[in-house]
Amino acid sequence: MDSSQFSDSQPRFDFIEQMDSHGATCDSFRVKIYGKLHFLKRLKKEYAGDIRYQEALRKEFETGYRLEHPHIVRYISFTDDGILMEYVDGETLSQRVATNPEYFESKENLRKFLRQLLDAVGYLHAHQTLHLDLKPDNILLTRINNDVKLIDLGCCYTDSFVDTHGFTDSFAAPEQLSIIHCPLSIRTDIYAIGKTMAILPHHHIYNKVIRKCTAQFPENRYQSIADLKKALFPKRKPWLWALLALFLVMFFLGYLLFAKNAIERAPRKFTFNWPSVSILCNHESPPSESKETQVENKSVQEQSQPPVQSVPSATAKKGPSTKEQQQTAPSVLPPIKKALSEEEQAFLDQPHLRTITSEEFSRYKQQIDEYYREANAFLNDSANHRRYPSRQAYLRRYQDIVDETLRRIKADDWFHPLYNSPMNPVSSYTRKYKADLEHRAFVNSNQLP
């Protein structure tokens, strides 16, 4: 289609091309006006006549039009056809992770992405706006320079528009899913940021931050984007490094001065190898000693070590050399071997202090599926949506099943130590398994009449 016109108030497009999008209420188009590409977002035909969706689209434009940030898509105009926005040549975060996960192997690329995303969300919060639908599909990475562009303010919350807001289940905070009754706040967006970080390759370096971002209760999360930045990018204190370097230099100089003084004060002693001296000087025996000295030396030698062969004289025809004596001399410091006590060995043999094998891990996964079979069957049974009159009754029954499962697990001498193990991969697999069960239970409870 070479050209098109949606309404009388809309200028003629040089061309229009519908884009692949998964929007629930809107279609997306790439259009060209006076040689420049733009992005057009308009309601689908089945929603075009509904005043609620028309006002939601107007709310998105009015909210976005007053924003000006390099990492938030710019809103240009609002017409009868929809919203005309800046066109971004790039791909969503979901597409980048699927097609080029190696991009995030670079720590610099990962830090750059997080900095730009937090800058954009922090700018929204500074302008009294909550995004409320942060997810990989609403985050673009430009084809040139891989910069972040935040899109889709259709579910946002502002001081002026407080009625129209939505979410995506897999990235929504518990307060959005009505699991806990708390007002929406900055910490709702922080929860979605933590969920987004969790899908990034090599996100494990930020596991501690992600766990705090995705805490169930808002008061346990970071309270602002500034706090989250401090956790992700702690500021270095150059004066501490300078102080440490100065300390090391002073310690090294002091050590050199101490060593020099010790050498100067130490008496000079010379040790001679008597057999060698006697051979070179053609002496038959080493200098004689007094009888008292010989008796003392003999008693000391008998107490400390086995008797050593006498020094050979220069006139002896045969005898072991000094090198042979050193080779045959007993070791003065034999290797020390200390056996572990029974308590130490028993401590080290505990199951949760060792790394399990792949076969044990496979058996562990089968066992945890067996223990939680009743809970999974409860969640998968759609008849429970009609059987339980309220969300509270449904969740109460689910919790009773889980409590009974935990009691059986605790009685299992083989399974329980690994279930509580702090070591990977068991603990990470257990946390993910339990989190998936809990999330499914809460989602199912929201579907009750």
Side-chain angles (χ1 to χ4, degrees), residues 83-148:
I83 301 175
L84 200 64
M85 290 181 280
E86 167 192 14
Y87 176 75
V88 179
D89 182 21
E91 57 186 353
T92 65
L93 178 61
S94 300
Q95 294 170 336
R96 175 62 62 88
V97 171
T99 59
N100 187 20
E102 296 81 9
Y103 174 77
F104 293 100
E105 289 183 0
S106 169
K107 190 174 181 180
E108 293 182 0
N109 292 340
L110 186 59
R111 290 170 65 88
K112 173 185 175 182
F113 167 78
L114 293 175
R115 281 186 182 278
Q116 293 184 353
L117 176 62
L118 295 182
D119 286 346
V121 178
Y123 177 84
L124 288 178
H125 295 170
H127 287 74
Q128 305 301 311
T129 303
L130 302 176
H131 193 284
L132 298 184
D133 196 21
L134 291 170
K135 58 183 180 180
D137 288 341
N138 285 341
I139 302 171
L140 296 181
L141 289 172
T142 61
R143 201 171 305 279
I144 300 176
N145 203 36
N146 298 301
D147 288 322
V148 169

Side-chain angles (χ1 to χ4, degrees), residues 2-19:
D2 295 336
S3 64
S4 177
Q5 187 174 0
F6 288 124
S7 69
D8 295 337
S9 61
Q10 175 67 44
R12 181 175 295 275
F13 301 126
D14 296 338
F15 80 90
I16 175 174
E17 177 185 10
Q18 186 166 2
M19 302 175 63

Side-chain angles (χ1 to χ4, degrees), residues 24 139-140 150 264 272 311 381 416:
I139 302 171
L140 296 181
L150 195 59
E264 291 177 351
F272 296 98
V311 179
D381 188 358
H416 183 251

